[in-house]
C-alpha cells in the first residue's frame, strides 16, 4: 500500500536530472512485508566497510522498560534497562520480580531481585525458578558483546553480567542476514514476549546511517532531535516507533539505476512492525516531511 494525499514541490530540470529546492509531503503511508537482505559475505570480512552502518546508535541515550506478566510460564517482572552512550550495561539493568503468595497462606507478597545479563548463548534473565533466554545468538562470538563473568567459590553467581554495544551488535546481526529458522527467538521467548509490554524513549546520537541502497547522517542531538518513542502492548506481536522531530542530512537513495540525493530531511514519522508467525510486516506513516535540496540524477 502506498498513499500520498498531498505534496508540494518546486522543480527545475537540468542537464544532469531534476532538482528541487524543497519538497513537502504529508499523509504518506507505505506498507508491506519486511524482507531482510541475505547475509553480506564481504562485510563479514570487512565489518567497517559493509552496507550496514548504524553510527547513530553509538551515542544513543535513554531507558527501556518492560512489564512481564507470565506467572503461569516463568515469572512476573518489571524490567528497566538504561542505555548510556549506545551501551547497555546489564549490571545496571533491574528485574524486579513479585512472587505469588506462599502455600502456607501468608498474605505478604515475596519480593526477589532477578538478574539480567548476556552469555555466549544469548541474553538471559535469572529468576528464582532458573535461567530463561530472551534471545539466543545465531553464532558466537558476536560483535559488541561483553559476556558475563562468573565468580568463584563460595559465590559462583555472575560477578559481571556483561554488556552490549548497540552499534556493532546490531550491525553484526544485520550483516549475518535473517536466521535460518524463524526470527531467532526460542519457543520459550515467544511465549514470554506475548505477555511482555514495552515502552521507552531513546535519543539517537549524531552519526551515519546506512542500509543497502540508502545512506544518511543523523544530526541535531543537542537540539533534542531524533528521539524515538517505543511502545508495545505485546512485543511478540509487534511494536510502534515514533520520531516526532526527525533531522537527517546528506541523504542518498539508490534505486532502479538512479540516485536521489537530499541535503536535509525534517519531519515526523511513525513505524509499525507487526509479527504473525514467521512473517513480519511494516507500515511507515509520514505525518509531515520536508526535503530540502533534492536532486534526481
Amino acid at each position: 500500500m502506498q498513499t500520498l494525499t498531498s505534496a508540494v514541490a518546486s522543480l527545475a530540470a537540468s542537464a544532469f536530472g531534476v532538482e528541487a529546492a524543497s519538497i513537502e509531503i504529508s499523509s504518506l503511508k507505505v506498507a508491506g512485508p519486511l524482507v531482510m537482505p541475505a547475509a553480506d559475505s564481504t562485510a563479514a570480512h570487512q565489518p567497517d566497510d559493509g552496507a550496514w552502518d548504524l553510527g547513530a546508535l553509538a551515542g544513543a541515550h535513554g531507558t527501556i522498560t518492560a512489564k512481564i506478566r507470565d506467572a503461569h510460564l516463568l515469572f512476573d517482572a518489571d524490567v528497566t534497562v538504561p542505555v548510556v552512550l549506545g551501551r547497555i550495561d546489564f549490571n545496571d539493568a533491574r528485574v524486579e520480580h513479585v512472587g505469588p503468595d506462599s502455600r502456607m497462606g501468608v498474605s505478604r507478597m515475596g519480593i526477589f531481585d532477578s538478574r539480567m545479563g548476556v552469555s555466549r548463548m544469548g541474553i538471559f534473565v535469572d529468576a528464582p525458578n532458573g535461567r530463561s533466554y530472551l534471545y539466543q545468538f545465531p553464532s558466537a562470538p558476536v560483535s559488541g558483546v561483553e559476556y558475563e563473568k562468573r565468580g568463584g567459590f563460595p559465590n559462583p553467581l555472575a560477578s559481571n553480567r556483561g554488556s552490549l554495544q548497540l552499534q556493532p551488535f546490531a550491525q553484526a546481526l544485520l550483516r549475518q542476514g535473517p536466521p535460518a529458522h524463524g526470527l531467532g527467538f526460542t519457543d520459550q521467548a515467544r511465549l514470554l514476549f506475548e505477555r511482555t509490554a514495552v515502552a521507552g524513549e531513546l535519543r539517537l546520537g549524531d552519526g551515519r546511517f546506512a542500509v543497502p541502497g540508502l545512506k544518511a547522517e543523523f544530526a541535531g542531538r543537542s537540539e533534542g532531535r531524533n528521539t524515538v518513542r517505543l511502545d508495545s502492548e505485546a512485543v511478540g506481536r509487534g511494536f510502534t516507533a515514533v520520531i516526532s522531530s526527525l533531522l537527517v542530512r546528506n541523504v542518498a537513495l539508490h534505486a532502479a539505476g538512479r540516485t536521489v540525493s537530499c541535503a536535509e530531511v525534517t519531519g515526523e514519522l511513525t513505524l509499525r512492525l507487526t509479527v504473525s508467525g514467521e512473517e513480519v510486516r511494516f507500515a511507515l506513516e509520514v505525518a509531515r516531511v520536508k526535503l530540502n535540496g533534492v536532486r534526481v540524477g
Side-chain angles (χ1 to χ4, degrees):
M1 176 184 69
Q2 300 181 13
T3 304
L4 178 60
T5 60
S6 62
V8 179
S10 176
L11 302 177
S14 70
F16 302 100
V18 178
E19 299 179 359
S22 66
I23 298 176
E24 296 184 25
I25 302 173
S26 63
S27 301
L28 172 65
K29 296 182 180 181
V30 180
L34 182 65
V35 180
M36 296 296 295
D40 187 341
S41 58
T42 302
H45 298 287
Q46 297 179 329
D48 294 332
D49 298 326
W52 298 94
D53 188 344
L54 307 180
L57 286 179
H61 190 91
T63 301
I64 307 299
T65 62
K67 291 184 178 295
I68 303 173
R69 297 293 175 258
D70 201 9
H72 295 293
L73 292 174
L74 297 171
F75 52 86
D76 287 357
D78 292 328
V79 182
T80 303
V81 181
V83 180
V84 179
L85 294 178
R87 180 173 180 263
I88 296 176
D89 186 342
F90 288 107
N91 295 292
D92 297 329
R94 298 197 308 273
V95 182
E96 299 171 334
H97 175 74
V98 181
D101 292 345
S102 70
R103 293 183 180 180
M104 295 180 67
V106 178
S107 62
R108 186 173 67 85
M109 302 289 283
I111 306 296
F112 307 91
D113 286 331
S114 296
R115 293 169 174 265
M116 188 175 187
V118 56
S119 73
R120 289 188 176 273
M121 289 183 63
I123 301 172
F124 65 82
V125 171
D126 281 337
N129 60 342
R131 175 166 292 190
S132 302
Y133 279 91
L134 303 181
Y135 179 77
Q136 288 190 317
F137 299 145
S139 63
V142 179
S143 299
V145 180
E146 178 189 357
Y147 298 103
E148 67 173 332
K149 296 181 176 63
R150 289 187 170 272
F153 181 84
N155 183 17
L157 296 177
S159 58
N160 183 338
R161 284 177 267 159
S163 65
L164 291 180
Q165 292 283 355
L166 295 182
Q167 180 189 1
F169 175 69
Q171 288 176 179
L173 292 185
L174 289 169
R175 286 171 179 150
Q176 290 176 6
H181 302 285
L183 299 173
F185 300 113
T186 63
D187 290 339
Q188 184 185 55
R190 290 174 184 272
L191 292 173
L192 187 65
F193 288 163
E194 286 289 330
R195 296 163 174 81
T196 301
V198 172
E201 195 170 89
L202 196 65
R203 179 179 295 181
L204 301 178
D206 296 340
R208 293 186 62 195
F209 173 82
V211 299
L214 175 65
K215 295 182 179 180
E217 296 176 8
F218 280 84
R221 183 184 186 280
S222 61
E223 306 168 10
R225 299 276 195 162
N226 301 321
T227 296
V228 183
R229 297 196 310 274
L230 299 171
D231 182 68
S232 174
E233 294 184 357
V235 70
R237 296 193 292 271
F239 68 88
T240 300
V242 179
I243 302 180
S244 58
S245 186
L246 175 72
L247 174 57
V248 292
R249 294 176 176 147
N250 301 322
V251 180
L253 173 65
H254 304 278
R258 287 188 173 272
T259 298
V260 179
S261 61
C262 184
E264 182 178 272
V265 178
T266 59
E268 176 181 351
L269 56 85
T270 299
L271 173 65
R272 292 185 173 87
L273 294 181
T274 56
V275 181
S276 178
E278 300 297 338
E279 183 183 43
V280 180
R281 299 185 65 84
F282 76 94
L284 179 64
E285 300 179 8
V286 179
R288 55 179 178 81
V289 68
K290 184 176 182 180
L291 300 84
N292 294 322
V294 181
R295 182 172 181 175
V296 181

